[in-house]
Amino acid sequence: MGRVSTGTEVLDKLLDGGYESDIVTAIYGPPGSGKTTTCLIAALSAASAKENKDKKVVFIDTEGGFSTERLLQLAGDSSTAKKAMERIMLLKATNFAEQKRYIETLSEQTSQAGSKICLIICDTISSLYRIERGGEDNSNLNRELGKQLGTLLTIARTKEIPVIVSTPVYADFSDKTSVKIVGGDILKYSSKCLIELKINGNGTRTAVLAKHRSIPQRDVDFRITEKGFEEA
């Protein structure tokens, strides 16, 4: 089974080596849990890999979370960060329709011979969807989110390009000990790997492997540092 490094030993250990290359991996958690940092680490790792020197990482940013300053911190030096940035195609989506166009364009690009994309990241896949939700009938929005995720899943399965999406959570008022994913069953159905990030009270986080097609549920505690993640 093809895997690509997550860019950090913490998550490589959790996933037995890294993200699988033919599925959609969804990362969810509250603000400050490390979702965007996880995405930046993955982008930096793939963009810096020697085997990807002629390829691009596509990073769809829907919340303005992509930070070149943070990428420089994670890289450790300006030379590594500069080379990585040259291989990262940053797409800034400001509304759900724009996000749709970007994903449709990716489908067209990856269907062409000699596609030069090695990783696709969307941080976050459901924030613009949530903004446009309202009233009782959101069926069209739900269908569109499902279509976008279906397109990304098809790219991953047919081209073996790993896809990482992040999504926020909200409180489950019927169960105070758990949270619900924005995008719900639509996102769960399309993602074969689900990673929940939790904030602990002692300055640490926990990454929970909530769903995987070959690895049992397990977790790892970690800290967010200037250089990335370190196991707690």
Side-chain angles (χ1 to χ4, degrees), residues 79-166:
S79 176
T80 301
K82 182 179 179 181
K83 289 179 180 178
M85 280 300 300
E86 291 173 352
R87 298 178 187 171
I88 296 175
M89 183 187 301
L90 179 61
L91 304 175
K92 298 180 179 181
T94 57
N95 56 62
F96 199 49
E98 200 167 33
Q99 178 176 307
K100 173 186 176 182
R101 287 196 298 272
Y102 285 148
I103 292 175
E104 288 175 344
T105 300
L106 282 176
S107 179
E108 295 169 2
Q109 290 179 343
T110 54
S111 65
Q112 299 172 2
S115 174
K116 297 295 186 179
I117 297 173
C118 62
L119 174 66
I120 296 171
I121 298 171
C122 186
D123 182 40
T124 69
I125 188 72
S126 57
S127 61
L128 298 175
Y129 154 85
R130 179 173 60 174
I131 289 172
E132 296 193 19
R133 280 178 62 89
E136 295 182 0
D137 186 8
N138 294 292
S139 54
N140 289 335
L141 273 176
N142 293 339
R143 278 194 295 269
E144 179 53 41
L145 180 61
K147 185 177 179 181
Q148 291 180 24
L149 284 162
T151 298
L152 292 174
L153 178 58
T154 298
I155 293 172
R157 293 182 64 183
T158 60
K159 303 301 178 182
E160 293 196 344
I161 299 173
V163 175
I164 302 168
V165 300
S166 69

Side-chain angles (χ1 to χ4, degrees), residues 7-127:
T8 170
E9 291 183 5
V10 171
L11 296 182
D12 279 351
K13 178 180 178 181
L14 185 74
L15 298 173
D16 284 350
Y19 299 116
E20 291 187 270
S21 59
D22 62 342
I23 65 172
V24 173
T25 297
I27 299 164
Y28 62 97
S33 59
K35 298 188 298 296
T36 296
T37 299
T38 301
C39 293
L40 288 172
I41 290 172
L44 177 63
S45 176
S48 302
K50 292 181 180 179
E51 63 268 24
N52 294 332
K53 64 179 181 179
D54 296 321
K55 297 182 178 181
K56 293 284 187 179
V57 173
V58 176
F59 196 113
I60 302 174
D61 180 13
T62 69
E63 292 187 312
F66 188 95
S67 167
T68 53
E69 290 80 6
R70 183 61 174 134
L71 197 72
L72 176 58
Q73 288 180 345
L74 295 169
D77 65 87
S78 57
S79 176
T80 301
K82 182 179 179 181
K83 289 179 180 178
M85 280 300 300
E86 291 173 352
R87 298 178 187 171
I88 296 175
M89 183 187 301
L90 179 61
L91 304 175
K92 298 180 179 181
T94 57
N95 56 62
F96 199 49
E98 200 167 33
Q99 178 176 307
K100 173 186 176 182
R101 287 196 298 272
Y102 285 148
I103 292 175
E104 288 175 344
T105 300
L106 282 176
S107 179
E108 295 169 2
Q109 290 179 343
T110 54
S111 65
Q112 299 172 2
S115 174
K116 297 295 186 179
I117 297 173
C118 62
L119 174 66
I120 296 171
I121 298 171
C122 186
D123 182 40
T124 69
I125 188 72
S126 57
S127 61

Side-chain angles (χ1 to χ4, degrees), residues 170-205:
Y170 60 96
D172 183 352
F173 294 105
S174 63
D175 181 0
K176 301 296 184 180
T177 63
S178 65
V179 295
K180 290 187 175 181
I181 305 173
V182 176
D185 291 339
I186 304 171
L187 201 142
K188 289 180 180 179
Y189 177 79
S190 302
S191 306
K192 298 304 179 185
C193 177
L194 291 172
I195 301 173
E196 180 181 5
L197 301 181
K198 298 180 177 181
I199 301 175
N200 303 323
N202 57 358
T204 66
R205 273 69 170 170

